[in-house]
């Protein structure tokens, strides 16, 4: 077989695999995470780089009532993503993990790939806190062209560090890997306070507002539509 023919053969196999394999991605999704907590960088809650996971029903990123995994604990207390990403990537029911930019006080946009019907979970830390997170979990990816917005998503206490509200325990102020542990299940929270901000003293937060997360399935590119038109015509 000549070199050219081998390459052509490989290309055809790849198209077939990406079209019909259940684990391969067919649709691009735009994810927008908007930080709706007032105050900006001055008195608000910067959000750390969000971790987005495309998965099946056997995987859970977080859920109220569960204990946080070690990877989620590190994200919730320090905003660090590496361990959570490794945990997710080692799970057989996880198809893709993407980390967005951050920290941000306005909004961040990034792309993921998945298939309609697969599940999406996303988590980010509120950086001016002991162990607060926000995000969505186990939402079903929409079909091509559809968009879904999740408004005022819940804020959760990850249950791994006591809510002292002390600057000395909060990574936003440069104080990492400090703060008394707690061992509680993840629970929705509606109020948090920083008690000794050097400029403002007491900073109070009521949730909502929290974050708005929009998931949009992009239409396939014209090239992909052509491919599908060709494939469909084979079966007519
Ligand atoms: Ca806590
Ligand atoms: Ca801490």
């Amino acid at each position: 077989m000549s070199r050219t023919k081998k390459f052509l053969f490989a290309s055809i196999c790849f198209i077939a695999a990406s079209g019909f394999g259940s684990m391969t991605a067919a649709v691009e999704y735009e994810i927008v995470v908007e930080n709706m907590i007032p105050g900006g960088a001055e008195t608000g809650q910067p959000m750390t780089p969000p971790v987005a996971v495309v998965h099946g029903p056997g995987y859970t990123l977080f859920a109220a009532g569960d204990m946080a995994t070690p990877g989620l604990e590190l994200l919730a207390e320090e905003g660090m993503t590496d361990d959570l990403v490794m945990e997710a990537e080692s799970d057989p029911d996880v198809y893709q993990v993407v980390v967005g930019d951050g920290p941000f006080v306005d909004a961040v946009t990034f792309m993921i790939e998945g298939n309609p019907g697969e599940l999406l979970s996303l988590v980010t830390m509120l950086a001016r806190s002991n162990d607060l997170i926000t995000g969505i979990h186990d939402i079903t990816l929409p079909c091509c062209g559809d968009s879904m917005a999740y408004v005022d998503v819940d804020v959760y206490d990850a249950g791994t560090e006591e809510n002292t509200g002390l600057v000395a325990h909060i990574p936003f102020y440069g104080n990492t890997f400090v703060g008394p542990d707690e061992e509680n299940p993840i629970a929705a929270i509606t109020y948090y306070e920083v008690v000794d901000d050097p400029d403002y003293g007491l900073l109070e937060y009521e949730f909502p507002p929290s974050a708005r997360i929009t998931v949009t399935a992009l239409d396939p590119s014209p090239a992909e539509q052509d491919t599908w038109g060709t494939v469909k015509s084979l079966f007519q």
Side-chain angles (χ1 to χ4, degrees):
M1 193 184 278
S2 76
R3 206 185 174 95
T4 312
K5 279 180 184 162
K6 267 186 198 160
F7 178 75
L8 186 63
F9 180 71
S11 300
I12 290 166
C13 287
F14 175 75
I15 289 165
S18 59
F20 298 108
S22 62
M23 295 296 177
T24 52
V27 179
E28 270 199 303
Y29 293 88
E30 182 191 71
I31 311 292
V32 182
V33 184
E34 292 171 83
N35 185 342
M36 308 301 284
I37 297 173
E42 201 70 8
T43 58
Q45 284 283 356
M47 291 178 180
T48 63
V51 175
V53 183
V54 180
H55 60 92
Y59 171 82
T60 303
L61 180 61
F62 71 92
D66 286 0
M67 301 301 286
T69 63
L72 185 66
E73 176 175 359
L74 203 57
L75 181 130
E77 294 183 16
E78 319 296 345
M80 294 175 179
T81 58
D82 286 0
D83 286 19
L84 189 60
V85 169
M86 271 195 297
E87 279 178 7
E89 285 180 343
S90 68
D91 190 298
D93 225 19
V94 165
Y95 310 140
Q96 194 188 36
V97 184
V98 175
V99 180
D101 289 337
F104 61 97
V105 291
D106 41 13
V108 67
T109 300
F110 57 96
M111 306 296 295
I112 62 163
E113 290 182 345
N115 292 294
E118 291 175 351
L119 303 176
L120 171 68
S121 298
L122 180 154
V123 68
T124 174
M125 179 203 181
L126 276 54
R128 205 193 303 250
S129 78
N130 293 89
D131 63 341
L132 300 196
I133 55 174
T134 190
I136 48 176
H137 63 86
D138 306 292
I139 67 120
T140 303
L141 285 174
C143 200
C144 312
D146 289 348
S147 188
M148 301 190 303
Y150 297 85
V151 183
D152 287 335
V153 297
D154 280 333
V155 174
Y156 301 86
D157 184 326
T160 59
E161 182 174 308
E162 286 178 26
N163 296 355
T164 61
L166 293 169
V167 161
H169 299 153
I170 297 175
F172 172 85
Y173 298 97
N175 302 315
T176 52
F177 300 106
V178 279
D181 287 341
E182 62 178 356
E183 284 189 37
N184 290 312
I186 298 165
I189 188 170
T190 56
Y191 177 81
Y192 179 83
E193 59 186 22
V194 173
V195 297
D196 60 349
D197 182 279
D199 295 323
Y200 303 97
L202 182 68
L203 289 174
E204 296 182 285
Y205 303 93
E206 281 188 59
F207 316 114
S210 52
R212 177 163 60 204
I213 300 170
T214 309
V215 179
T216 304
L218 302 183
D219 284 323
S221 69
E224 285 166 337
Q225 284 172 342
D226 284 352
T227 304
W228 276 106
T230 309
V231 172
K232 276 182 192 160
S233 71
L234 295 173
F235 293 94
Q236 283 168 357

